[in-house]
């Protein structure tokens, strides 16, 4: 049995957290490959080491003195090393980093040092081999991740080593230039390593006990999700539920390796298991609720629209011309509505309207702003009757006016549009009807 374990920044923010991580790893033989993030925040006012590195490198780029900023970063690492009683010095590493900053090695290089150094400490603390991600995670000349090359190099390397630490978040181009994934990218590294190691499980350790059925800022102490499929996860993360980097599912998904989200501060909790498919039904008909505010609905009306071939294409072309992507397009007999992000749309509003007039020649266009979209997601909805009915009666009882309903043909989700100000009440009403009444 092989498990790849990735630990997030808050799990590695201090020596105390390192000790918890060490105990977790040592308590299971199978936890052979470890992917650490850079040290995160120790408290809400703290700064992540990654952000400190970006700031420090910005000084270097402007030819300003960055030595004090770099010293502060070294102090963060030294407090971990000393707290763990390790006989390890990062002086040499910091000398090299300072030289490379002077040579303007790039902000990706700068940010990657957070994981690189934490990986060295972790390997030393565990007695595991250290593998520099720059040697095994490959990017092409344009900075695109090279999945196949990486998998080949990395799996050959891992086959030769029993236990190792591979820092997250970065890799390198063939000429050696360091390149990072987008923020939170250590999740992706963990997934890549799990694939290359043919792992049985990818454990992603963070500071929450998995995914929650609803946003804890709206629902007090929401239930957690025990098992979720990749597709459900995608729907929920798209609508704002963030625990795992969106791209982290791709490497393991094809290999059928489940991801287990676990809590470093509560290792006894089972967390959330993310799987390709399952016969385990969720405890409630729904798996989760997520949503976002800040949408605009552009309502387009034209008599006999239904019989005009190409009408929808022309309308969407108007949005495409302005580089605006649409979220949902519910349509009626003589109407079609396009939901877009308010932020993206605002500056280009009049250009889009003019383009719709020019291309589709509608009778009228109306705009409604400040709308929220809520996704109610669940594999159980397919086999349950009355789900939509329950959602809407709950919303009616909560006095929420429903602006839009969109049920995907997969029957995996129902998307509901409400006014921004009704957003929280709507989420609460849906949570209550499914979770509190336990049906
Ligand atoms: N340290 C990086 C960040 O803060 C990557 C990660 O933690 O996954 O985004």
């Amino acid at each position: 049995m092989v498990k790849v374990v990735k630990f997030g920044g808050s799990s590695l923010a201090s020596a105390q957290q390192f000790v918890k991580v060490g105990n977790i790893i040592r308590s299971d033989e199978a936890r052979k490959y470890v992917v650490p993030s850079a040290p995160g925040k120790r408290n809400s006012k703290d700064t992540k080491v990654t952000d400190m590195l970006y700031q420090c490198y910005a000084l270097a780029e402007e030819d300003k003195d960055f030595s004090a900023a770099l010293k502060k970063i070294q102090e963060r690492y030294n407090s971990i090393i000393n707290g763990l009683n390790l006989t390890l010095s990062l002086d040499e590493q910091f000398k090299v980093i300072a030289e490379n900053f002077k040579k303007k090695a790039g902000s990706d290089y700068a940010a990657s040092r957070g994981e690189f150094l934490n990986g060295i400490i972790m390997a030393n603390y565990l007695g595991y081999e250290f593998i520099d991600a720059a040697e095994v995670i490959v990017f092409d000349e344009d900075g695109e991740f090279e999945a196949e090359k990486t998998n080949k190099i990395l799996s050959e390397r891992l086959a030769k080593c029993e236990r190792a630490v591979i820092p997250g978040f970065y890799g390198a181009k063939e000429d050696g230039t360091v390149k990072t994934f987008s923020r939170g990218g250590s999740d992706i590294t963990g997934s890549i390593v799990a694939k290359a190691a043919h792992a049985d499980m990818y454990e992603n350790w963070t500071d929450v006990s998995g995914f929650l059925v609803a946003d804890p800022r709206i629902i007090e102490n929401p239930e957690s999700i025990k098992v979720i499929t990749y597709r459900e996860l995608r729907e929920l993360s798209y609508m704002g539920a963030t625990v795992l980097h969106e791209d982290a599912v791709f490497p393991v998904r094809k290999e059928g390796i489940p991801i287990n989200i676990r809590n470093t501060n509560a290792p006894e909790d089972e967390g959330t298991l993310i799987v390709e498919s399952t016969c385990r039904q969720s405890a409630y008909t729904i798996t989760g609720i997520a949503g976002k505010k800040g949408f605009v609905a552009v309502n387009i009306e034209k008599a006999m629209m239904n019989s005009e071939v190409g009408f929808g294409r022309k309308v969407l072309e108007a949005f495409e011309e302005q580089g605006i992507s649409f979220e949902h397009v519910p349509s009626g007999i003589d109407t079609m509505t396009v939901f877009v992000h308010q932020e993206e749309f605002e500056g280009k509003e009049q250009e889009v309207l003019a383009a719709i007039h020019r291309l589709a020649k509608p009778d009228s266009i109306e705009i409604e702003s400040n709308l929220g979209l809520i996704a109610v997601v669940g594999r159980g909805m397919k086999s349950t009757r009355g789900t939509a009915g329950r959602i809407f009666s709950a919303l009616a009882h909560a006095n929420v006016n429903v602006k839009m309903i969109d049920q995907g043909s997969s029957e995996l989700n129902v998307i509901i549009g409400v006014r921004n100000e009704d957003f929280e009440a709507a989420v609460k009403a849906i949570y209550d009807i499914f979770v509190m009444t336990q049906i």
Side-chain angles (χ1 to χ4, degrees), residues 137 139 145 169-171 179-183 185-186 188-189 192:
I137 306 277
F139 288 84
F145 170 61
F169 190 37
Y170 72 94
K179 173 89 188 82
T180 62
F181 292 109
S182 56
R183 295 298 304 264
S186 298
I188 307 173
T189 311
I192 294 166

Side-chain angles (χ1 to χ4, degrees), residues 392-407:
F392 298 114
S393 78
L395 292 175
H397 280 294
N399 272 329
V400 172
N401 184 11
V402 175
K403 294 264 147 201
M404 187 224 31
I405 308 162
D406 192 353
Q407 176 173 21

